[in-house]
Structure formats: C-alpha cells, structure tokens
Amino acid sequence: MKLKDDKPIRPNDKSTKVVPMAIMFVVLCGFSFYLGGIFCSEKNGFVTEEVVKSVESSQKTVSTPRWMKYGRHRLTFMERHCPAAFDRKECLIPPPDGYKEPIRWPKSKNECWYRNVPYDWINKQKSNQHWLRKEGEKFYFPGGGTMFPNGVSAYVDLMQNLIPGMKDGTVRTAIDTGCGVASWGGDLLDRGILTVSLAPRDNHEAQVQFALERGIPAILGIISTQRLPFPSNSFDMAHCSRCLIPWTEFGGIYLLEVHRILRPGGFWVLSGPPVNYENRWRGWNTTVGEQKSDYEKLQELLTSMCFKLYNKKDDIAVWQKSSDNSCYKKLDTPDNYPPRCDDGTEPDSGWYTPLRPCVVVPDPKIKKLSLKSIAKWPERLNVAPERISDVRGGSDGAFKHDDSKWKSRVKHYKKLLPALGTNKIRNVMDMNTAYGGFAAALINDPLWVMNVVSSYAPNTLPVVYDRGLVGTFQDWCEAFSTYPRTYDLLHVDGLFTTESHRCEMKHVLLEMDRILRPNGYAIIRESSYFVDAIATIAKGMKWGCHKEATEYDIETEKVLICQKKLWYSKQSS
C-alpha cells in the first residue's frame, strides 16, 4: 500500500541541468538494499515524508500522482493499492524534523507532540468542533466531535442508556467507520470495549495516525469496492457518527458490508443525517422532505437486511442485526432485494474481495455465534469459541494448549524485555497470530494488540474476535495499512520460516522498520536458520539486537530482542 511516507521528494540539486522524473527516482531509490546497509540517497538526501507536489517549471515531463491512476467512482482511489514489485522502494524512512519520543499512555490519550504528526489542516478545519487543538508544541484532544459537542463521554453515556449491553460485558468489540481522531474509541477503552477505528487517508490527512499516536487501536481503510479485511460475524457493534458514508446509495452495498462483519444480535449505531431530521435538517443544507425520504429509504434497506430498529433518542439511532434464521429465509423469495449470497465467495474472505450486493447469512449450524449466546467479557477471553472447529486441527484441547503455551512464553519475554508490561509499550502487533494467545497473555497490561492473520494461513481470525480481541487479515509480502512510526512493539513467531518462499526477508523487515516507532522493540522468534540473517539486516537498519534462548532453551529456535534506534536524516535541522 503506497502511503504518504513512502513517497520521496526531490533531493537538493543546485545544478541547472533538468533531470527527468524517471531518472530522479532511479537515482533516489535504485541502489540495492544489500543486507540493509545502503540507504536511498543522493548527495546525502534521505527519503523523507513529504509528497512531491511540484516539479521545476522547466521540466517537460510532469509526474502524475499515483492515486490518479485509480477511479474516483465510490472513492476507489482511497482503497488499498500496492505498487508493482519493480517500483518498490528499498529504503528507510527518517522521522520528521523535531520528532520526539511519544507521550506515554494514559496521558497520550489526551495529548501528543505536534512534530510527531505535523498536520495543520484538520486542526484548522475541526477546531471549532473540538476534535483537537494546537497549543505550543502539542496537540490536545478535548473529546469533542461533530455529533457530540458536549464531549464524547456524554455522548457515550447516552448511547449506553440506549444499549444496556455496553455496560455489562455483552458488547466487547466495536468498529468506528470514519473515526475522526478516534475519540469515541478512546472513550470506550475506559468502559472495557475494544474498538477498531477505521478511516482512509483523505482531506483530513492523518486521522488514523492521530489515533495511533494517542495509543488508540486504528487502521487505514474505507468501505468502497472491496470488503474490509475482517471475517464475517466479528464485531459486536458498529458505529458511524456523521461519517458521510452514503449508506442508501448503490443499493445499500455499504450497509451490506456492515451486516457481514457484524455478529448476529450486534448493533449498528448511527448519529447524524438523516437521524433526527425533524430538528436537524436546517443545518444540513437540505430540506426536511429530502431528509425524511432518506431516513425512510434507510429504514427500508435495513429491514430488508434483517435489521430492526432497537432504540432511538435525539441524534442517535440503534439498529440490531437479527439472530432469527426465519428472517433470512425470506431472502430466498424470487426477485427479493437484497438476495442471499450464494456459496461463490467465502463469508470470511476479506482480502481483496469485491463487495457483493447480497446478504451474507450467518451459518445456522453455529449455535454460539450471536451476541446473546457467547460468554460476556471477560469470561469469553478464555472460552474456546465454537468456530475453532472450522480451523484445521482446531479443538478445545488445541485452544487450551495454545493459551498455556503463550502464558509461559510471555513470562519469558518479560524477563528478556523488561519494558514489556510497562507504559513504555502501548501499541503492539502480533504479526502472525493463531488464536490470539500472545494478546490474551498480555490482557492485564497497559497495552492493546492488533492480531494479524496471514491471508495465506488458516483462517483463525474469527476465533480471535470471538474471544473479544481484534485483528485483521494481511499479506506480509505487501505493506500494512498504517502510517510510519505507529507501533511500539512488533511480535513475530516463525513468520520468516512460514513465508520465506513467498516474501523477501528484507522487504518484510523494511516494512517492520517503517511501522515501528523510534526506540520501539521487536521480538522475533525464529528458527536458528533465519536468526543470524535477520540480525545482519537489522543492523543495517540501525537496530540493536541480541540473541536469546527460548523458554525451552533449544538450539533449533532462538529469540531476537531488537530495538529500533532514533535517528534523523542529515537534512534535518
């Protein structure tokens, strides 16, 4: 995925000779990355985060921005698009000028360093809505939002009154589409609800980067033409607070994707147009008739997908996805829209899978799938989900063994890396999890874990979500959907052994370096065959690593404990 930080700027060149854009890129990033030792440079010009916005007026060749290659229909250009292999950059990304070590949790939830996320547009445009404000060297997050001018806590209090399950552990996982700076997800953390905040890189510039800088779970993404990278029947709740997604357009295809990822009995919460149109329409640059029509169309679409209006008050409306199979049987009626999805596409397929105008019906064979049938949080963390039987070799016994194994491993890791379990480590990624055992063993520490399941591995992500944890699908031959410098700890368990036949080791390590914060850590558990080669490349990336024995102290497997150093390009002041 080509992100802002991947794009190089033109190096300083006082020569009057015109350099075509193609040659410029070759000069910048054409050198091979030999064991991590050579950086993309010309005349000491390192790759920086600024996008090329203009070229010299004397140049005859003008470079077309990459995103313009993709259509604007349904905002396709904001989706995930990865460059061809020959266009892949093999270089390190320095931090912005003035970068500081991030403020630690929980203080980080309310403030961050401006130089770490130096974006002004969102501050200028949203300061009147109290999303954030800039004072001196910091951004502050007062917890405001377009639909919650009295603060996010008061907004969530009202929501909890409408959904009692948010108070007793029934609702544990949530997704916030169009998350802003993730204040809603941040508030829910204090209430025991783990939220994935989702937003694209749009004119707001860096919503997801703000969220992660604050220590709140988030990922880049948009509901457009592809499914979101999550399995079906995963989230207990989905939320949209004036997120500007045209829910009733294109046959309700965006609502159908929300339906797919929401578990039976789960809640969809909408605040903003057209909810409360009777009192709000004047501020929406529309007519009461248009908003009334939109609301009726929305209600009709939701009913056709087996949602029912659960509760409503003021600006907030709540619908609940049906767990009654009799409703889904009605979808088989001839000429019914939307129809039931056939068996042509797996319900859990969420990696480059096109959206389909049909309803993914929950499997009636799975009895403990609905919100009312699974255990409440925190009990559900340690209960083997029914869907583990869908995994090859999965069983209650395998689940318990995995849980026990990771408790032992994490205890050992904390001896090797004393920072683990302290407020020095907040944002954590388990790059190739099975059942979320690593995250479960850390559940009482002041951190959260993004559980990643390879798109080529057995699909265990539904098990992760049924436990009350969160995660995403990913192919590690490609970039991860996040900004640079967004994670404090990356954990790898045999990833290179498993994926070396598909992905080049240096490309995976370069991506790890991109998303790891300066002074952040990596725990790399690998076969002895790979460990030394990884350590060599890591040294070239300015990492400090030391090799340790596993808790079993066997020769065939070792643990690398690495720390990424804070460094600046020579062009920084």
Side-chain angles (χ1 to χ4, degrees):
M1 184 177 186
K2 204 63 179 172
L3 300 178
K4 184 171 182 178
D5 295 68
D6 292 320
K7 299 182 181 180
I9 62 169
R10 180 166 37 87
N12 293 328
D13 190 353
K14 297 182 180 179
S15 171
T16 58
K17 184 178 180 180
V18 176
V19 182
M21 185 63 69
I23 296 177
M24 181 177 67
F25 278 110
V26 170
V27 172
L28 274 172
C29 292
F31 299 113
S32 64
F33 187 88
Y34 180 68
L35 296 182
I38 302 177
F39 302 101
C40 294
S41 60
E42 180 191 11
K43 297 182 180 181
N44 295 323
F46 287 78
V47 174
T48 73
E49 297 184 88
E50 297 300 318
V51 180
V52 175
K53 294 182 178 179
S54 63
V55 294
E56 294 177 353
S57 58
S58 58
Q59 282 187 281
K60 297 180 180 180
T61 304
V62 179
S63 177
T64 301
R66 184 183 300 277
W67 66 266
M68 291 186 67
K69 297 178 181 179
Y70 308 102
R72 298 193 181 192
H73 176 67
R74 285 167 51 182
L75 302 180
T76 306
F77 68 93
M78 288 188 182
E79 288 189 300
R80 180 184 175 87
H81 300 287
C82 285
F86 66 84
D87 199 25
R88 189 165 191 166
K89 305 299 182 288
E90 298 180 355
C91 43
L92 302 181
I93 301 173
D97 191 15
Y99 180 87
K100 297 183 179 182
E101 184 173 317
I103 295 169
R104 294 178 183 174
W105 183 265
K107 191 177 180 181
S108 64
K109 192 174 80 167
N110 300 316
E111 60 185 71
C112 74
W113 296 112
Y114 165 74
R115 287 296 179 184
N116 290 12
V117 261
Y119 302 107
D120 288 309
W121 187 94
I122 192 171
N123 175 52
K124 294 174 182 177
Q125 296 295 320
K126 297 296 183 179
S127 59
N128 64 321
Q129 298 173 11
H130 307 294
W131 282 30
L132 74 168
R133 69 175 185 273
K134 184 177 180 291
E135 292 183 7
E137 294 185 332
K138 291 182 179 179
F139 277 124
Y140 291 89
F141 303 92
T146 309
M147 296 308 301
F148 33 96
N150 296 323
V152 67
S153 292
Y155 175 76
V156 176
D157 286 343
L158 176 57
M159 197 175 297
Q160 283 189 326
N161 292 334
L162 300 178
I163 309 173
M166 292 177 67
K167 299 178 182 179
D168 65 1
T170 300
V171 174
R172 164 61 182 173
T173 59
I175 183 169
D176 188 11
T177 52
C179 63
V181 293
S183 292
W184 187 74
D187 186 85
L188 288 180
L189 285 172
D190 297 332
R191 306 176 193 241
I193 297 175
L194 192 58
T195 304
V196 175
S197 295
L198 179 82
R201 181 180 177 272
D202 57 9
N203 59 331
H204 294 94
E205 294 183 305
Q207 299 174 76
V208 164
Q209 192 170 13
F210 275 116
L212 290 164
E213 189 70 17
R214 299 175 69 185
I216 300 170
I219 191 170
L220 279 164
I222 185 173
I223 309 178
S224 177
T225 67
Q226 306 284 337
R227 282 181 175 179
L228 295 176
F230 313 116
S232 63
N233 308 302
S234 296
F235 293 96
D236 305 332
M237 179 166 62
H239 172 256
C240 161
S241 174
R242 202 170 187 183
C243 58
L244 303 182
I245 297 174
W247 296 113
T248 59
E249 299 299 318
F250 312 111
I253 198 164
Y254 303 139
L255 281 173
L256 286 166
E257 177 62 359
V258 170
H259 182 282
R260 184 186 73 86
I261 63 175
L262 201 61
R263 73 172 63 251
F267 301 99
W268 184 57
V269 182
L270 176 66
S271 65
V275 176
N276 198 16
Y277 66 87
E278 303 92 338
N279 301 308
R280 288 283 195 174
W281 67 271
R282 290 180 181 84
W284 294 341
N285 193 28
T286 183
T287 67
V288 66
E290 289 174 343
Q291 288 299 309
K292 182 175 185 291
S293 176
D294 284 350
Y295 182 80
E296 291 172 348
K297 186 177 181 181
L298 178 68
Q299 180 62 57
E300 182 182 358
L301 276 169
L302 287 165
T303 301
S304 71
M305 300 173 192
C306 296
F307 279 101
K308 64 179 180 180
L309 185 63
Y310 181 83
N311 219 332
K312 182 182 176 185
K313 186 175 182 180
D314 298 333
D315 295 325
I316 301 176
V318 182
W319 284 268
Q320 186 176 34
K321 177 178 173 178
S322 177
S323 54
D324 183 1
N325 194 50
S326 63
C327 176
Y328 296 109
K329 289 181 179 179
K330 298 176 183 177
L331 301 177
D332 296 328
T333 305
D335 300 323
N336 179 76
Y337 185 86
R340 174 198 295 260
C341 287
D342 56 28
D343 296 327
T345 303
E346 286 289 330
D348 289 345
S349 179
W351 190 249
Y352 293 123
T353 304
L355 291 181
R356 304 178 68 205
C358 56
V359 178
V360 174
V361 176
D363 188 348
K365 297 177 183 177
I366 305 175
K367 304 301 181 184
K368 294 183 179 180
L369 183 62
S370 70
L371 197 56
K372 65 181 180 181
S373 63
I374 59 173
K376 294 182 179 180
W377 181 263
E379 289 79 16
R380 67 191 272 188
L381 179 68
N382 299 309
V383 175
E386 185 178 354
R387 286 198 279 184
I388 199 171
S389 61
D390 293 337
V391 180
R392 184 176 181 180
S395 64
D396 287 7
F399 178 86
K400 292 176 181 177
H401 173 74
D402 186 76
D403 238 21
S404 176
K405 175 183 72 176
W406 281 108
K407 286 177 182 177
S408 175
R409 288 185 173 187
V410 166
K411 184 178 179 180
H412 182 64
Y413 289 166
K414 287 184 175 181
K415 294 177 181 178
L416 303 179
L417 181 59
L420 183 58
T422 73
N423 66 355
K424 292 182 180 180
I425 294 176
R426 172 62 186 171
N427 301 347
V428 179
M429 183 186 295
D430 190 0
M431 293 177 61
N432 59 324
T433 192
Y435 303 135
F438 176 71
L442 293 166
I443 200 65
N444 294 319
D445 293 326
L447 53 80
W448 65 274
V449 179
M450 178 64 76
N451 293 279
V452 179
V453 172
S454 170
S455 58
Y456 283 81
N459 178 25
T460 58
L461 201 51
V463 175
V464 171
Y465 274 94
D466 287 351
R467 299 186 70 176
L469 305 172
V470 296
T472 182
F473 293 119
Q474 166 68 16
D475 177 2
W476 284 114
C477 296
E478 301 180 3
F480 189 79
S481 296
T482 192
Y483 287 83
R485 303 174 305 279
T486 45
Y487 284 84
D488 300 301
L489 172 66
L490 303 178
H491 174 255
V492 171
D493 177 27
L495 176 67
F496 296 97
T497 301
T498 306
E499 301 281 21
S500 61
H501 66 290
R502 295 193 315 108
C503 313
E504 280 197 63
M505 184 188 300
K506 64 179 180 180
H507 290 154
V508 178
L509 286 165
L510 281 168
E511 177 61 4
M512 291 172 66
D513 181 84
R514 185 184 74 86
I515 63 182
L516 196 61
R517 286 171 166 171
N519 295 323
Y521 301 93
I523 300 176
I524 303 174
R525 188 186 188 102
E526 276 293 345
S527 67
S528 300
Y529 177 82
F530 284 100
V531 164
D532 290 336
I534 293 170
T536 302
I537 297 177
K539 183 178 180 180
M541 298 192 306
K542 304 179 184 288
W543 289 16
C545 298
H546 53 95
K547 182 166 62 174
E548 301 287 350
T550 67
E551 64 279 4
Y552 308 118
D553 195 17
I554 55 177
E555 285 301 317
T556 56
E557 187 178 49
K558 297 295 179 181
V559 177
L560 271 182
I561 303 295
C562 300
Q563 185 174 26
K564 175 182 174 178
K565 296 178 182 178
L566 173 60
W567 59 277
Y568 298 95
S569 72
K570 293 182 180 179
Q571 291 179 342
S572 297
S573 62

